[in-house]
Amino acid sequence: MRMSRTALLPLAALSVLAVTAPAEAATPHRKPLVELREEGGFAGLRNRVAVYMDGCAVLSRRTGPTVRTCLTAAEWRGLRGSLKHLRLGRSQVRPPGADFIAYRLAYKGHRATRYSLPPTWRPVVSRLEKVLVKYGTPN
């Protein structure tokens, strides 16, 4: 059976796509350790920091690119230490008004949203915000 060149071109393109597919697609899904989302306020804040069990993180803001990075050993140790004391508790009801920031934390399969930070949340949120500022700000 004889095939024309135009019939072979789509087959050649498929073979190139298979070879050049991103390596990310082949890697297994990483397990998240903790995730912080900060949303709201008059400025329309929308920040996200997700740290995975391997010590790497995905950072995003309302504007700008998504950044993938890994924490330093000291950052990783400090975050894990703060997480040992974290108590998520229940979500707060949204307060009346427009200029509130919602802090959403997910940890160990639980999620909660707060509009004022409880004492056990402050060290975790502070560390995650520092990671966002350090790695999520364009150079």
Side-chain angles (χ1 to χ4, degrees):
M1 182 172 154
R2 199 168 162 194
M3 295 183 89
S4 68
R5 286 186 187 181
T6 55
L8 289 175
L9 284 177
L11 294 175
L14 285 176
S15 65
V16 169
L17 285 176
V19 172
T20 60
E24 248 177 51
T27 60
H29 183 66
R30 293 184 300 172
K31 186 175 178 182
L33 174 66
V34 65
E35 180 181 14
L36 169 67
R37 290 179 182 260
E38 299 173 319
E39 298 175 346
F42 285 126
L45 189 68
R46 192 175 302 136
N47 296 335
R48 177 180 175 260
V49 180
V51 179
Y52 295 90
M53 297 296 287
D54 62 0
C56 293
V58 176
L59 318 167
S60 64
R61 295 179 182 263
R62 183 174 52 92
T63 59
T66 298
V67 176
R68 298 177 197 297
T69 188
C70 292
L71 278 58
T72 65
E75 291 166 338
W76 181 233
R77 267 191 317 275
L79 178 61
R80 286 184 300 155
S82 295
L83 286 169
K84 288 179 184 178
H85 306 289
L86 177 65
R87 301 293 174 258
L88 284 181
R90 295 179 184 256
S91 292
Q92 281 181 324
V93 176
R94 183 184 166 120
D99 193 25
F100 288 96
I101 296 174
Y103 297 91
R104 291 184 177 91
L105 269 178
Y107 179 61
K108 289 189 174 180
H110 300 284
R111 295 178 186 274
T113 302
R114 303 297 297 237
Y115 295 90
S116 59
L117 294 177
T120 66
W121 282 43
R122 287 185 193 127
V124 174
V125 170
S126 176
R127 287 182 186 281
L128 293 173
E129 286 176 336
K130 286 177 184 174
V131 167
L132 182 65
V133 169
K134 181 178 178 180
Y135 300 108
T137 306
N139 293 337

